[in-house]
Amino acid sequence: MSKLIDGKLVSCAVKERIKAEVSELKNKGITVGLAVILVGEDPASKIYVANKKKACEALGIISQEYLLPENTTTEELLELIDTLNHEKTINGILCQLPLPKGIDEQTVINAILPEKDVDAFHPSNVGKIMIGDYDFVPCTPAGIMEMLDYYNIDICGKNCVVIGRSNIVGKPMSMLLLHKNGTVTTCHSRTNNLSEVTNKADILVSAVGKANFVTADMVKDGAVVIDVGMNRDNGKLCGDVCFDEVKDKASYITPVPGGVGPMTIAMLMQNTLTASKKQNGLL
Ligand code: NAP
Protein backbone atom coordinates (compact mmCIF):
# COMPACT_ATOMS: atom_id res chain seq x y z
CA MET A 1 0.00 0.00 0.00
CA SER A 2 1.45 3.32 -1.02
CA LYS A 3 1.70 6.58 0.83
CA LEU A 4 -0.42 9.40 -0.52
CA ILE A 5 1.37 12.58 -1.59
CA ASP A 6 -1.05 15.22 -0.40
CA GLY A 7 -0.88 18.23 -2.72
CA LYS A 8 -3.41 20.15 -0.65
CA LEU A 9 -1.28 19.80 2.46
CA VAL A 10 1.97 20.79 0.73
CA SER A 11 0.33 23.68 -1.13
CA CYS A 12 -1.05 25.02 2.17
CA ALA A 13 2.45 24.93 3.67
CA VAL A 14 3.85 26.78 0.63
CA LYS A 15 1.05 29.36 0.71
CA GLU A 16 1.53 30.00 4.44
CA ARG A 17 5.21 30.69 3.78
CA ILE A 18 4.32 33.08 0.92
CA LYS A 19 1.65 34.87 2.95
CA ALA A 20 4.14 35.59 5.72
CA GLU A 21 6.70 36.92 3.23
CA VAL A 22 4.14 39.09 1.43
CA SER A 23 3.13 40.57 4.77
CA GLU A 24 6.78 41.25 5.69
CA LEU A 25 7.30 43.03 2.36
CA LYS A 26 4.17 45.09 2.93
CA ASN A 27 5.65 46.32 6.20
CA LYS A 28 8.61 47.58 4.17
CA GLY A 29 6.26 49.34 1.72
CA ILE A 30 6.75 46.73 -1.02
CA THR A 31 3.74 45.22 -2.78
CA VAL A 32 3.35 42.03 -4.80
CA GLY A 33 1.08 42.24 -7.85
CA LEU A 34 -0.09 39.81 -10.53
CA ALA A 35 -1.99 40.62 -13.73
CA VAL A 36 -3.94 37.76 -15.29
CA ILE A 37 -5.21 38.10 -18.85
CA LEU A 38 -7.99 35.89 -20.18
CA VAL A 39 -9.04 36.12 -23.80
CA GLY A 40 -12.35 34.50 -24.75
CA GLU A 41 -14.83 32.28 -23.00
CA ASP A 42 -13.11 28.93 -22.46
CA PRO A 43 -14.94 27.53 -19.38
CA ALA A 44 -11.91 25.68 -17.93
CA SER A 45 -9.72 28.79 -18.35
CA LYS A 46 -12.36 30.90 -16.59
CA ILE A 47 -12.22 28.57 -13.58
CA TYR A 48 -8.38 28.64 -13.52
CA VAL A 49 -8.35 32.45 -13.68
CA ALA A 50 -10.95 32.75 -10.90
CA ASN A 51 -8.90 30.37 -8.72
CA LYS A 52 -5.72 32.38 -9.32
CA LYS A 53 -7.52 35.57 -8.27
CA LYS A 54 -8.83 33.86 -5.13
CA ALA A 55 -5.34 32.60 -4.23
CA CYS A 56 -3.85 36.11 -4.68
CA GLU A 57 -6.48 37.63 -2.42
CA ALA A 58 -5.91 35.01 0.29
CA LEU A 59 -2.15 35.74 0.34
CA GLY A 60 -2.28 39.54 0.19
CA ILE A 61 -1.09 39.66 -3.43
CA ILE A 62 -2.67 42.39 -5.55
CA SER A 63 -4.49 40.81 -8.47
CA GLN A 64 -5.66 42.52 -11.65
CA GLU A 65 -7.88 40.63 -14.05
CA TYR A 66 -8.19 41.52 -17.73
CA LEU A 67 -11.07 39.73 -19.43
CA LEU A 68 -10.89 40.33 -23.18
CA PRO A 69 -13.39 39.27 -25.84
CA GLU A 70 -12.83 36.28 -28.13
CA ASN A 71 -12.27 38.54 -31.16
CA THR A 72 -9.32 40.40 -29.56
CA THR A 73 -6.46 40.79 -32.07
CA THR A 74 -2.81 39.93 -31.42
CA GLU A 75 -2.00 43.67 -31.70
CA GLU A 76 -4.58 44.60 -29.03
CA LEU A 77 -3.23 41.95 -26.70
CA LEU A 78 0.35 43.09 -27.29
CA GLU A 79 -0.68 46.65 -26.45
CA LEU A 80 -2.09 45.54 -23.09
CA ILE A 81 1.03 43.50 -22.33
CA ASP A 82 3.21 46.51 -23.16
CA THR A 83 1.23 48.65 -20.69
CA LEU A 84 1.55 45.98 -17.98
CA ASN A 85 5.27 45.55 -18.70
CA HIS A 86 5.67 49.21 -17.74
CA GLU A 87 3.29 49.12 -14.75
CA LYS A 88 5.35 49.31 -11.52
CA THR A 89 2.70 47.73 -9.26
CA ILE A 90 2.48 44.67 -11.49
CA ASN A 91 5.33 42.23 -10.86
CA GLY A 92 3.96 39.24 -12.76
CA ILE A 93 1.98 38.91 -15.97
CA LEU A 94 0.17 35.74 -16.95
CA CYS A 95 -1.75 35.25 -20.16
CA GLN A 96 -4.02 32.24 -19.75
CA LEU A 97 -3.46 29.62 -22.47
CA PRO A 98 -4.77 28.38 -24.80
CA LEU A 99 -5.48 31.60 -26.67
CA PRO A 100 -8.27 31.72 -29.25
CA LYS A 101 -7.37 30.77 -32.83
CA GLY A 102 -6.08 33.80 -34.67
CA ILE A 103 -3.85 35.02 -31.85
CA ASP A 104 -0.24 34.01 -32.22
CA GLU A 105 0.63 32.38 -28.89
CA GLN A 106 4.41 32.52 -29.19
CA THR A 107 4.36 36.22 -30.16
CA VAL A 108 2.32 36.92 -27.03
CA ILE A 109 4.64 34.86 -24.80
CA ASN A 110 7.68 36.63 -26.28
CA ALA A 111 6.13 40.05 -25.52
CA ILE A 112 5.96 39.54 -21.75
CA LEU A 113 9.09 40.92 -20.05
CA PRO A 114 11.13 37.88 -18.90
CA GLU A 115 11.34 39.35 -15.39
CA LYS A 116 7.52 39.47 -15.23
CA ASP A 117 7.02 36.09 -16.94
CA VAL A 118 5.77 34.16 -13.90
CA ASP A 119 4.69 31.23 -16.08
CA ALA A 120 8.33 30.87 -17.22
CA PHE A 121 7.32 30.34 -20.84
CA HIS A 122 9.46 33.12 -22.36
CA PRO A 123 12.38 31.70 -24.39
CA SER A 124 14.81 33.54 -22.11
CA ASN A 125 13.39 31.80 -19.02
CA VAL A 126 13.22 28.46 -20.85
CA GLY A 127 16.93 28.83 -21.72
CA LYS A 128 17.76 29.66 -18.11
CA ILE A 129 16.06 26.48 -16.94
CA MET A 130 18.15 24.54 -19.46
CA ILE A 131 21.42 25.87 -17.99
CA GLY A 132 20.18 25.49 -14.42
CA ASP A 133 20.36 29.20 -13.50
CA TYR A 134 16.74 30.27 -13.20
CA ASP A 135 14.42 32.54 -11.23
CA PHE A 136 11.12 31.10 -12.45
CA VAL A 137 10.14 27.53 -13.24
CA PRO A 138 6.83 26.59 -14.91
CA CYS A 139 4.40 26.16 -12.05
CA THR A 140 3.41 22.51 -12.52
CA PRO A 141 6.94 21.01 -12.60
CA ALA A 142 7.97 23.41 -9.82
CA GLY A 143 5.07 22.14 -7.70
CA ILE A 144 6.09 18.53 -8.29
CA MET A 145 9.65 19.26 -7.17
CA GLU A 146 8.26 20.94 -4.05
CA MET A 147 6.15 17.86 -3.24
CA LEU A 148 9.08 15.47 -3.73
CA ASP A 149 11.15 17.66 -1.43
CA TYR A 150 8.38 17.84 1.21
CA TYR A 151 8.20 14.03 1.36
CA ASN A 152 12.03 13.72 1.38
CA ILE A 153 11.98 11.73 -1.83
CA ASP A 154 15.56 11.57 -3.05
CA ILE A 155 16.11 12.09 -6.77
CA CYS A 156 19.89 11.76 -6.98
CA GLY A 157 20.88 8.74 -9.07
CA LYS A 158 17.27 7.56 -9.49
CA ASN A 159 15.77 6.46 -12.78
CA CYS A 160 13.20 9.15 -13.55
CA VAL A 161 10.79 8.65 -16.42
CA VAL A 162 8.60 11.51 -17.63
CA ILE A 163 5.80 10.64 -20.04
CA GLY A 164 5.09 13.78 -22.08
CA ARG A 165 7.35 16.39 -23.68
CA SER A 166 5.22 19.54 -23.73
CA ASN A 167 6.93 22.88 -23.18
CA ILE A 168 4.85 23.58 -20.08
CA VAL A 169 5.13 20.26 -18.27
CA GLY A 170 7.15 17.40 -19.76
CA LYS A 171 10.32 19.18 -20.90
CA PRO A 172 10.84 21.44 -17.86
CA MET A 173 9.98 18.50 -15.58
CA SER A 174 12.75 16.43 -17.17
CA MET A 175 15.22 19.31 -16.83
CA LEU A 176 14.44 19.86 -13.13
CA LEU A 177 14.88 16.16 -12.35
CA LEU A 178 18.16 16.21 -14.28
CA HIS A 179 19.39 19.22 -12.27
CA LYS A 180 18.73 17.16 -9.14
CA ASN A 181 20.94 14.41 -10.58
CA GLY A 182 18.17 12.05 -11.65
CA THR A 183 18.85 9.80 -14.65
CA VAL A 184 16.05 11.05 -16.84
CA THR A 185 14.17 9.51 -19.77
CA THR A 186 11.53 11.59 -21.54
CA CYS A 187 8.85 9.57 -23.32
CA HIS A 188 6.27 10.68 -25.89
CA SER A 189 3.81 9.34 -28.43
CA ARG A 190 6.60 7.88 -30.62
CA THR A 191 8.39 6.07 -27.79
CA ASN A 192 8.83 2.38 -28.56
CA ASN A 193 7.91 -0.16 -25.87
CA LEU A 194 6.73 2.50 -23.42
CA SER A 195 5.90 -0.05 -20.74
CA GLU A 196 9.46 -1.42 -20.82
CA VAL A 197 10.79 2.10 -20.16
CA THR A 198 8.28 3.00 -17.45
CA ASN A 199 8.95 -0.28 -15.66
CA LYS A 200 12.52 0.90 -14.98
CA ALA A 201 11.30 4.13 -13.32
CA ASP A 202 12.01 4.78 -9.65
CA ILE A 203 10.13 8.05 -10.16
CA LEU A 204 7.43 8.07 -12.84
CA VAL A 205 5.75 11.32 -13.90
CA SER A 206 2.80 11.06 -16.26
CA ALA A 207 1.80 14.20 -18.20
CA VAL A 208 -0.10 12.73 -21.12
CA GLY A 209 -3.69 13.86 -20.73
CA LYS A 210 -5.40 10.47 -21.17
CA ALA A 211 -7.54 8.83 -18.51
CA ASN A 212 -6.50 5.33 -17.41
CA PHE A 213 -3.28 5.57 -19.40
CA VAL A 214 -0.82 4.33 -16.77
CA THR A 215 -1.79 0.83 -15.65
CA ALA A 216 -0.25 -1.27 -12.86
CA ASP A 217 1.73 -3.41 -15.31
CA MET A 218 3.64 -0.25 -16.40
CA VAL A 219 4.83 0.52 -12.88
CA LYS A 220 7.79 -0.95 -10.99
CA ASP A 221 7.18 -2.15 -7.42
CA GLY A 222 7.92 0.68 -4.99
CA ALA A 223 8.02 3.45 -7.61
CA VAL A 224 7.02 7.03 -6.83
CA VAL A 225 4.14 7.90 -9.17
CA ILE A 226 3.25 11.50 -9.97
CA ASP A 227 0.06 12.03 -11.95
CA VAL A 228 -0.12 15.38 -13.76
CA GLY A 229 -3.11 14.46 -15.96
CA MET A 230 -6.38 16.32 -15.63
CA ASN A 231 -8.96 14.38 -17.55
CA ARG A 232 -12.65 13.63 -17.50
CA ASP A 233 -13.80 10.03 -17.31
CA ASN A 234 -17.59 9.84 -17.59
CA GLY A 235 -17.69 13.43 -16.35
CA LYS A 236 -15.50 12.67 -13.31
CA LEU A 237 -12.16 14.48 -12.89
CA CYS A 238 -9.28 12.00 -13.02
CA GLY A 239 -5.60 11.79 -13.85
CA ASP A 240 -3.62 9.61 -16.28
CA VAL A 241 -2.99 6.89 -13.73
CA CYS A 242 -5.33 4.00 -12.86
CA PHE A 243 -5.11 5.03 -9.23
CA ASP A 244 -6.87 2.03 -7.66
CA GLU A 245 -4.56 -0.56 -9.18
CA VAL A 246 -1.31 1.46 -9.16
CA LYS A 247 -1.59 2.53 -5.51
CA ASP A 248 -0.89 -1.03 -4.40
CA LYS A 249 2.43 -1.10 -6.27
CA ALA A 250 3.75 2.42 -5.74
CA SER A 251 5.63 3.58 -2.65
CA TYR A 252 4.19 7.09 -3.04
CA ILE A 253 1.42 8.32 -5.34
CA THR A 254 -0.39 11.59 -6.04
CA PRO A 255 -4.20 11.51 -6.23
CA VAL A 256 -6.30 13.45 -8.75
CA PRO A 257 -7.81 15.71 -7.58
CA GLY A 258 -5.73 16.82 -4.60
CA GLY A 259 -2.25 16.07 -5.93
CA VAL A 260 -0.38 18.13 -8.51
CA GLY A 261 -3.29 20.52 -9.18
CA PRO A 262 -3.23 22.54 -5.93
CA MET A 263 0.56 22.89 -6.19
CA THR A 264 0.39 24.64 -9.57
CA ILE A 265 -1.38 27.72 -8.21
CA ALA A 266 0.81 27.81 -5.10
CA MET A 267 3.92 27.93 -7.29
CA LEU A 268 2.42 30.71 -9.41
CA MET A 269 2.12 32.71 -6.20
CA GLN A 270 5.72 31.79 -5.36
CA ASN A 271 6.93 33.01 -8.78
CA THR A 272 5.01 36.28 -8.35
CA LEU A 273 6.61 36.84 -4.96
CA THR A 274 10.05 36.10 -6.44
CA ALA A 275 9.33 38.60 -9.25
CA SER A 276 8.50 41.33 -6.74
CA LYS A 277 11.61 40.61 -4.68
CA LYS A 278 13.81 40.68 -7.80
CA GLN A 279 12.23 43.88 -9.09
CA ASN A 280 12.71 45.53 -5.71
CA GLY A 281 16.35 44.55 -5.49
CA LEU A 282 15.87 42.02 -2.70
CA LEU A 283 17.22 39.05 -4.66
P1 NAP B 1 0.16 18.08 -24.16
O1 NAP B 1 0.82 19.33 -24.61
O2 NAP B 1 -1.03 17.56 -24.90
O3 NAP B 1 1.27 16.93 -24.13
C1 NAP B 1 0.95 15.59 -23.94
C2 NAP B 1 2.19 14.74 -24.13
O4 NAP B 1 1.81 13.39 -24.01
C3 NAP B 1 2.86 14.90 -25.50
O5 NAP B 1 4.25 15.08 -25.36
C4 NAP B 1 2.52 13.60 -26.21
O6 NAP B 1 3.53 13.15 -27.11
C5 NAP B 1 2.41 12.65 -25.05
N1 NAP B 1 1.60 11.49 -25.42
C6 NAP B 1 0.36 11.50 -25.98
N2 NAP B 1 -0.04 10.24 -26.22
C7 NAP B 1 0.96 9.43 -25.79
C8 NAP B 1 1.15 8.03 -25.81
N3 NAP B 1 0.23 7.20 -26.28
N4 NAP B 1 2.30 7.54 -25.30
C9 NAP B 1 3.25 8.36 -24.80
N5 NAP B 1 3.13 9.70 -24.79
C10 NAP B 1 2.00 10.23 -25.29
O7 NAP B 1 -0.30 18.17 -22.65
P2 NAP B 1 0.29 19.01 -21.38
O8 NAP B 1 -0.07 20.42 -21.54
O9 NAP B 1 1.71 18.64 -21.14
O10 NAP B 1 -0.61 18.40 -20.23
C11 NAP B 1 -0.64 17.02 -19.95
C12 NAP B 1 -1.75 16.72 -18.96
O11 NAP B 1 -1.48 17.41 -17.76
C13 NAP B 1 -3.15 17.20 -19.38
O12 NAP B 1 -4.10 16.29 -18.86
C14 NAP B 1 -3.29 18.52 -18.70
O13 NAP B 1 -4.64 18.87 -18.46
C15 NAP B 1 -2.58 18.24 -17.41
N6 NAP B 1 -2.05 19.41 -16.73
C16 NAP B 1 -2.31 19.51 -15.41
C17 NAP B 1 -1.83 20.57 -14.69
C18 NAP B 1 -2.11 20.62 -13.22
O14 NAP B 1 -1.94 21.67 -12.62
N7 NAP B 1 -2.52 19.51 -12.60
C19 NAP B 1 -1.07 21.56 -15.31
C20 NAP B 1 -0.78 21.43 -16.67
C21 NAP B 1 -1.27 20.33 -17.37
P3 NAP B 1 3.91 13.93 -28.48
O15 NAP B 1 4.75 15.10 -28.05
O16 NAP B 1 4.66 12.94 -29.26
O17 NAP B 1 2.63 14.36 -29.11
Side-chain angles (χ1 to χ4, degrees):
M1 186 67 181
S2 59
K3 196 167 171 197
L4 208 63
I5 296 182
D6 186 342
K8 271 193 199 157
L9 177 83
V10 185
S11 70
C12 281
V14 171
K15 286 194 277 190
E16 279 309 312
R17 194 176 73 202
I18 297 170
K19 193 175 176 180
E21 269 202 71
V22 170
S23 159
E24 255 175 58
L25 289 180
K26 217 179 217 169
N27 292 339
K28 294 182 187 154
I30 295 169
T31 58
V32 183
L34 174 70
V36 179
I37 307 169
L38 173 63
V39 187
E41 300 289 330
D42 181 70
S45 293
K46 277 185 169 175
I47 295 172
Y48 296 147
V49 167
N51 287 342
K52 286 166 188 174
K53 187 179 174 193
K54 231 192 277 170
C56 281
E57 283 165 1
L59 304 188
I61 295 175
I62 298 163
S63 93
Q64 288 183 5
E65 230 182 1
Y66 294 87
L67 306 176
L68 307 182
E70 185 90 19
N71 61 359
T72 301
T73 62
T74 304
E75 289 66 34
E76 286 166 337
L77 189 49
L78 294 180
E79 227 171 90
L80 171 61
I81 289 172
D82 187 54
T83 306
L84 295 171
N85 278 342
H86 290 93
E87 175 59 58
K88 281 249 172 324
T89 56
I90 290 301
N91 307 108
I93 304 169
L94 179 152
C95 191
Q96 187 66 46
L97 303 180
L99 288 164
K101 285 189 191 82
I103 297 186
D104 183 36
E105 218 157 83
Q106 196 57 49
T107 304
V108 170
I109 289 170
N110 293 354
I112 297 173
L113 271 183
E115 51 267 42
K116 293 195 177 187
D117 169 41
V118 285
D119 258 340
F121 294 163
H122 190 286
S124 156
N125 286 323
V126 174
K128 284 177 150 201
I129 292 164
M130 190 79 174
I131 59 174
D133 175 21
Y134 43 80
D135 305 311
F136 307 128
V137 181
C139 303
T140 301
I144 292 169
M145 296 306 281
E146 192 76 32
M147 286 196 294
L148 294 175
D149 185 56
Y150 188 93
Y151 285 90
N152 291 317
I153 294 167
D154 193 22
I155 298 164
C156 183
K158 297 282 164 60
N159 278 334
C160 305
V161 174
V162 179
I163 321 176
R165 57 172 165 182
S166 71
N167 289 335
I168 61 168
V169 187
K171 281 185 204 158
M173 186 72 246
S174 291
M175 287 312 304
L176 295 185
L177 291 165
L178 186 60
H179 290 320
K180 289 285 180 196
N181 299 314
T183 301
V184 183
T185 308
T186 311
C187 301
H188 45 79
S189 65
R190 315 287 173 88
T191 298
N192 288 333
N193 305 322
L194 181 66
S195 175
E196 224 170 81
V197 182
T198 59
N199 259 300
K200 294 199 171 74
D202 302 309
I203 299 175
L204 177 63
V205 180
S206 181
V208 175
K210 289 182 180 162
N212 304 314
F213 185 81
V214 176
T215 45
D217 59 308
M218 293 169 73
V219 177
K220 184 169 109 169
D221 270 327
V224 174
V225 179
I226 307 290
D227 191 351
V228 185
M230 286 227 282
N231 313 299
R232 293 267 163 202
D233 190 22
N234 289 323
K236 199 173 153 232
L237 179 65
C238 67
D240 292 344
V241 177
C242 289
F243 184 86
D244 286 338
E245 56 180 70
V246 172
K247 74 175 190 320
D248 295 326
K249 272 188 115 175
S251 57
Y252 286 89
I253 187 167
T254 60
V256 178
V260 175
M263 291 305 297
T264 298
I265 289 194
M267 299 322 285
L268 171 66
M269 302 295 115
Q270 175 68 62
N271 281 349
T272 308
L273 172 62
T274 302
S276 171
K277 283 162 74 176
K278 289 274 296 178
Q279 286 157 36
N280 286 288
L282 298 174
L283 282 180

